[in-house]
Amino acid sequence: MNFTYPKNERLKSKTTIGLLFSEGKSVSKYPLRLVYCPVGENSEEKTKIGVSVSKKYFKKAVDRNYFKRVLRETYRLNKHLLLDNLDQPYSFMFFYQTKDRLSFEEINTKTIQLFEKFILQIKKTQESENNTEL
């Protein structure tokens, strides 16, 4: 199992981020939200992910940075759930959307649930696309 989060998996492209917010779909599991969008097949990485914590909920940068670190860590530990079930590359934006200060364990559990919900949604859309082709 490769539990890394290398630089080439980080979402930095302004065009891709813009695409996520204009055409991306969303999955939520309180207090987390995952916005995703498939990217071209020519991408060398299967996933690219960015994290965000709103200034609306945490005024101090120290607090925002702490929750961003926690989100990146939970992604790093659970990204195998995504990689094992994706057949094309995706870009993700991962949000923490509450004032509640959840513990690492709670956030990790919610992340696993969110990734499983995302996988189910992807499989449903693929099945519906396959059914319309027939």
Side-chain angles (χ1 to χ4, degrees), residues 4-51:
T4 60
Y5 182 49
K7 277 191 175 182
N8 56 359
E9 281 187 21
R10 296 181 186 169
L11 181 62
K12 296 179 181 177
S13 166
K14 287 188 178 188
T15 55
T16 308
I17 293 170
L19 186 71
L20 273 172
F21 288 110
S22 63
E23 298 178 15
K25 296 180 180 79
S26 174
V27 177
S28 294
K29 188 71 179 171
Y30 178 83
L32 304 175
R33 191 169 131 227
L34 189 70
V35 177
Y36 63 94
C37 184
V39 291
E41 292 290 332
N42 56 359
S43 177
E44 70 281 352
E45 290 300 316
K46 252 194 162 178
T47 61
K48 289 224 182 243
I49 189 161
V51 295

Side-chain angles (χ1 to χ4, degrees), residues 52-115:
S52 179
V53 179
S54 177
K55 195 186 272 191
K56 174 180 168 185
Y57 300 121
F58 297 102
K59 301 294 183 208
K60 295 181 181 174
V62 174
D63 297 330
R64 289 193 304 276
N65 291 340
Y66 169 76
F67 282 102
K68 286 194 282 188
R69 277 197 307 274
V70 169
L71 289 177
R72 282 192 292 266
E73 182 67 6
T74 58
Y75 164 73
R76 185 183 72 82
L77 294 174
N78 299 301
K79 72 176 182 177
H80 62 90
L81 296 172
L82 296 176
L83 295 177
D84 295 344
N85 293 291
L86 294 180
D87 55 349
Q88 72 180 69
Y90 277 86
S91 291
F92 300 103
M93 200 69 183
F94 199 16
F95 296 97
Y96 186 83
Q97 295 185 306
T98 184
K99 288 182 181 175
D100 302 337
R101 295 173 177 268
L102 300 179
S103 69
F104 174 82
E105 290 78 20
E106 292 171 310
I107 295 173
N108 195 35
T109 305
K110 296 289 185 179
T111 302
I112 292 169
Q113 293 169 354
L114 179 70
F115 287 173

Side-chain angles (χ1 to χ4, degrees), residues 113-126:
Q113 293 169 354
L114 179 70
F115 287 173
E116 289 170 348
K117 189 174 179 181
F118 163 73
I119 291 164
L120 284 173
Q121 189 165 330
I122 290 297
K123 287 183 178 177
K124 282 181 186 175
T125 57
Q126 287 175 346

